[in-house]
Amino acid sequence: MLNFNQADFIGAAGLSKQLFKSELPEVVFSGRSNVGKSSLINKLLNRKSLARVSATPGKTGTINFFKVGNAFNLVDLPGYGYAKVSDKEKMRWAELVEGYFAQDRKFALVVQIVDMRHKATADDMHMISFLEDSGLPYIIVLTKKDKLNKTEQTKQLEALKLQVSEISDDVEMFPFSALKGDGVEEIRQTVSDYIENFDVE
Ligand code: GTP
Ligand code: MG
């Protein structure tokens, strides 16, 4: 199991031409704005505010890179789907994210994040289809588990599995709570496994 306790911010890119090359495998975090992406990253890395947690969604317009030990880069994509963002900003976001995925990089794993309380949005489904079609390895983390009771958790997990089964029926899903820490060990273990297997290839 990799050590997640040594992480440093190494840079940000707002346009694809600002992306820098890296030899390290990358674990990419993707999800709609306000889904709890920064909270998940902080929890995985045992940090209070390395990735900023915001009350106002849609603030992060850059791809942010963190180096975790000497093992991998954690890549934080800008959150999509925030209605108040201008069309110009949306275009820049698309250019940036498409440019990132078009590069020749070591994509070890994409962690696609979905709010456990709701159906996956059209944007979420679009992203999952993109991941499936690209053949990129990905898992789905379901955030804000603590906001549901036990019955609702079971129901939502089933509903989301059914919804995603339109695209693929063997995607791993991990319910997670940043508040309680549920799921954090399983997600760390899974990220570790993907990194370790990636290096072997
Ligand atoms: P942007 O970067 O602004 O798009 O948002 P984000 O996806 O990084 O979400 P962030 O981690 O900033 O969390 C958004 C809000 O949801 C904050 O108020 C968090 O405290 C809250 N939140 C995130 N994860 C959880 C969770 O697992 N449980 C609960 N109860 N609240 C959460
Ligand atoms: Mg964030």
Side-chain angles (χ1 to χ4, degrees), residues 99-123:
Y100 171 75
F101 281 114
Q103 286 187 346
D104 180 19
R105 308 186 71 95
K106 295 181 173 174
F107 301 111
L109 180 66
V110 179
V111 179
Q112 173 61 37
I113 307 164
V114 174
D115 191 324
M116 191 169 185
R117 296 171 298 172
H118 310 295
K119 288 185 74 172
T121 65
D123 287 335

Side-chain angles (χ1 to χ4, degrees), residues 31-42 51-60 76-80 82 113 117 142-147 176-181:
R32 74 163 172 73
S33 185
N34 206 39
V35 70
K37 193 153 51 70
S38 300
S39 303
L40 169 63
I41 292 169
N42 288 331
R52 230 162 271 140
V53 174
S54 56
T56 23
K59 283 285 173 205
T60 332
D76 185 7
L77 299 183
Y80 51 73
Y82 185 52
I113 307 164
R117 296 171 298 172
L142 305 175
T143 53
K144 312 198 183 185
K145 177 187 170 187
D146 56 275
K147 294 198 175 193
F176 170 77
S177 165
L179 208 67
K180 304 249 175 86

Side-chain angles (χ1 to χ4, degrees), residues 55-72:
T56 23
K59 283 285 173 205
T60 332
T62 52
I63 298 185
N64 296 325
F65 291 79
F66 304 89
K67 188 175 169 186
V68 184
N70 278 318
F72 69 97

Side-chain angles (χ1 to χ4, degrees), residues 4 19-20 22 24 36 47 49 52 62 66 76 84-85 121 123-124 161 172 178:
F4 285 76
L19 290 162
F20 45 87
S22 174
L24 287 175
R47 296 281 284 266
S49 61
R52 230 162 271 140
T62 52
F66 304 89
D76 185 7
K84 285 185 189 165
V85 172
T121 65
D123 287 335
D124 292 335
K161 276 187 179 157
E172 279 189 282

